[in-house]
Amino acid sequence: MWRGALMFSAAFFCLALVATSCKKKKNPVGEGALPPGTSMSSAGVDTFQLFTYTIEEDSVVSMDQSFNLLGSYNDPKFGPVEANFYTQFALSEFNLDIDMSSVVVDSVVMAFEYGGYYGTINEQTFEVHEINEELSRDSTYLSSATVGTETQNLILPGFDQFKPDLQTLPIVGDDTLSEPQLRLRLDTNLGEELLTLANNATDNETFTDAFKGLHFKVNNGPQTAGEGSILYLTTSVPESKMTVYFKLDGVENEFDFTVGNSEVDFNHIDMDNSGTEVQQVIDDHTLGQDEFYAQAFISRGKIDIPSLTDLPEDAIIHEATLEIPVNYYQGSDFYTSEAITVSSKIFENDDQRYFINDNVTYNQQRRAYVVDLRKYIQNILKGEVVNSGLIISPRLYATTTERIIFNGPSSLNKKQPKLNVVYTKL
């Protein structure tokens, strides 16, 4: 469960000969990197300019992600967030040969196994609508995409509003399930429709042509700051399924409609930073020196270090560590990301990027992300990439609603970003 600059100083340590009166142990770092006869000299830059801010992101691909997202909350720092999703279904078996005139549907239950959540677990109002447009695997569904749906809410009246329970194991019949689930009671007329379609379908393509899928959403209205959450639903596991419970000639039966990896699904995300400090920093990059931000689906942090080019072009970088502290207190419902990605553009005026590290984990002791920039800085000095700055975002950028508040170089908090570099000048 996921629980879910203006100026900055960098310590530069240069390898150099020392007086014979100060005998030190031999340091093997960088040994063998220099050809025989090469002379070394000490040099360095002791002050860097660091510029931090936030950049807005276009819609990202939200199809076939690890989690389907459902819910809404009002982030006290970033503003309102709402998530809903669309999905197809598949048949668990074919050639049913059911006499539908002898069928009586008792109930229809949509079950999703929880994968976590973000925010505060409060009561939410859920809706389910039938899709009336075809979902295609040939399409690229972005987080802003929508498809047409019917107006009827398929959740049974009285079962649409409740507080999700991510702790209690559901009991189905005589069985206690192994993981908590979101369980939605749907209209029994839908069950009759689905059984009829399944009875006549010879394959999944025939079934999805007739039944396009379902749209899952919430209808919570305005929420106070800190209220609400986004549920992370693991729809690709066997336990996540829609089950029609029915009697056939008085005998109890059930039939499953699955939502596995082969079915098309995508998340739709609405985020509104308007009126927040986050939006101010997005609009005016000079305001990002106190703190800057990254939010899944919508924005990424940016750090520019123009003075990196002041390093000698012939320097050999042995170590380069950037520490990026965050503004986060342990136990907050809006927890900081377990890991971030750090990337950079390869060329100017080109969106092509490469990952410096796509899994920088949060260091709880330092309350910061610690990034190894040795290869990145070396490649800048070699002229293989441009010094276009670092782009930082939650690692699960397209499948969660995590956000991060980073301390900037002018932060009044205890820690500010810092860079330490160890190099040899030829």
Side-chain angles (χ1 to χ4, degrees):
M1 183 105 28
W2 292 99
R3 247 306 291 163
L6 279 177
M7 306 293 293
F8 93 82
S9 297
F12 273 66
F13 303 92
C14 303
L15 302 181
L17 297 177
V18 297
T20 56
S21 61
C22 298
K23 185 177 181 180
K24 294 186 178 180
K25 293 181 180 180
K26 182 180 180 182
N27 187 344
V29 175
E31 186 174 284
L34 305 178
T38 301
S39 62
M40 297 184 293
S41 62
S42 298
V45 179
D46 58 12
T47 304
F48 280 87
Q49 284 187 311
L50 181 70
F51 298 95
T52 60
Y53 51 98
T54 298
I55 56 175
E56 203 162 23
E57 183 69 85
D58 292 332
S59 272
V60 298
V61 175
S62 64
M63 178 177 169
D64 295 339
Q65 297 297 331
S66 301
F67 299 120
N68 283 125
L69 308 180
L70 181 62
S72 69
Y73 65 85
N74 188 351
D75 191 307
K77 190 74 174 183
F78 289 70
V81 178
E82 183 169 329
N84 55 80
F85 69 95
Y86 303 80
T87 185
Q88 290 179 325
F89 289 83
L91 301 176
S92 57
E93 57 182 289
F94 304 102
N95 303 315
L96 300 186
D97 195 23
I98 296 176
D99 180 4
M100 291 302 299
S101 63
S102 301
V103 167
V104 177
V105 175
D106 293 324
S107 61
V108 181
V109 177
M110 182 69 245
F112 292 116
E113 192 171 289
Y114 290 116
Y117 68 99
Y118 201 77
T120 304
I121 296 298
N122 300 124
E123 186 175 88
Q124 301 204 49
T125 302
F126 298 90
E127 293 187 2
V128 177
H129 298 266
E130 186 173 348
I131 298 171
N132 57 24
E133 290 184 29
E134 181 182 359
L135 299 182
S136 172
R137 187 153 292 283
D138 295 331
S139 299
T140 300
Y141 293 102
L142 303 178
S143 57
S144 58
T146 61
V147 297
T149 62
E150 302 295 340
T151 58
Q152 181 188 0
N153 181 11
L154 295 172
I155 296 184
L156 284 179
F159 292 90
D160 58 340
Q161 190 174 46
F162 58 91
K163 179 181 177 180
D165 185 352
L166 283 79
Q167 303 299 324
T168 305
L169 299 179
I171 298 175
V172 179
D174 296 327
D175 298 326
T176 300
L177 304 184
S178 60
E179 298 290 342
Q181 292 183 344
L182 174 68
R183 297 179 66 82
L184 302 173
R185 292 283 301 274
L186 305 184
D187 193 323
T188 55
N189 290 326
L190 174 65
E192 291 186 26
E193 174 192 347
L194 291 174
L195 285 179
T196 300
L197 294 176
N199 204 34
N200 297 328
T202 56
D203 53 38
N204 279 325
E205 185 176 355
T206 304
F207 175 71
T208 54
D209 283 345
F211 182 71
K212 306 295 190 295
L214 293 175
H215 178 211
F216 296 86
K217 58 179 292 189
V218 294
N219 186 10
N220 292 324
Q223 294 170 304
T224 60
E227 181 184 6
S229 60
I230 301 295
L231 305 173
Y232 299 164
L233 306 177
T234 52
T235 53
S236 60
V237 297
E239 292 75 13
S240 293
K241 59 188 177 181
M242 179 166 50
T243 303
V244 178
Y245 297 92
F246 64 97
K247 290 185 178 70
L248 180 61
D249 292 326
V251 179
E252 292 185 350
N253 285 269
E254 59 187 68
F255 187 83
D256 294 334
F257 298 83
T258 64
V259 283
N261 292 322
S262 60
E263 282 64 63
V264 176
D265 65 89
F266 70 93
N267 294 311
H268 175 91
I269 310 296
D270 291 310
M271 295 178 168
D272 185 5
N273 297 145
S274 60
T276 67
E277 294 177 5
V278 178
Q279 189 63 55
Q280 292 175 23
V281 173
I282 291 173
D283 294 339
D284 184 352
H285 292 172
T286 64
L287 301 178
Q289 298 305 101
D290 292 329
E291 61 183 26
F292 61 110
Y293 315 96
Q295 185 176 20
F297 284 101
I298 191 172
S299 62
R300 305 181 194 266
K302 185 78 191 300
I303 301 178
D304 291 339
I305 318 174
S307 297
L308 282 179
T309 52
D310 291 342
L311 289 168
E313 292 183 0
D314 59 351
I316 294 179
I317 306 299
H318 298 282
E319 296 178 15
T321 303
L322 175 65
E323 185 170 317
I324 316 171
V326 301
N327 184 353
Y328 162 70
Y329 66 90
Q330 189 68 26
S332 169
D333 291 328
F334 300 102
Y335 54 87
T336 197
S337 296
E338 183 179 280
I340 60 172
T341 62
V342 181
S343 62
S344 184
K345 287 187 177 182
I346 300 177
F347 308 109
E348 286 288 0
N349 302 318
D350 191 333
D351 288 334
Q352 184 179 1
R353 288 188 287 156
Y354 75 100
F355 283 109
I356 296 170
N357 192 321
D358 64 354
N359 189 26
V360 180
T361 57
Y362 179 65
N363 188 311
Q364 180 65 48
Q365 185 176 5
R366 297 189 184 186
R367 297 185 66 180
Y369 300 98
V370 182
V371 189
D372 182 358
L373 295 182
R374 186 185 67 82
K375 290 183 179 179
Y376 170 68
I377 295 176
Q378 191 71 77
N379 287 337
I380 289 175
L381 298 181
K382 290 163 63 177
E384 294 183 358
V385 299
V386 296
N387 181 17
S388 60
L390 307 174
I391 302 171
I392 306 164
S393 58
R395 185 172 67 86
L396 299 178
Y397 188 78
T399 191
T400 69
T401 55
E402 295 172 356
R403 85 309 191 267
I404 311 171
I405 303 172
F406 299 104
N407 293 346
S410 301
S411 173
L412 297 179
N413 292 329
K414 184 177 179 179
K415 288 189 173 183
Q416 298 81 37
K418 66 177 181 179
L419 174 67
N420 290 323
V421 177
V422 179
Y423 74 96
T424 298
K425 183 181 183 302
L426 298 181

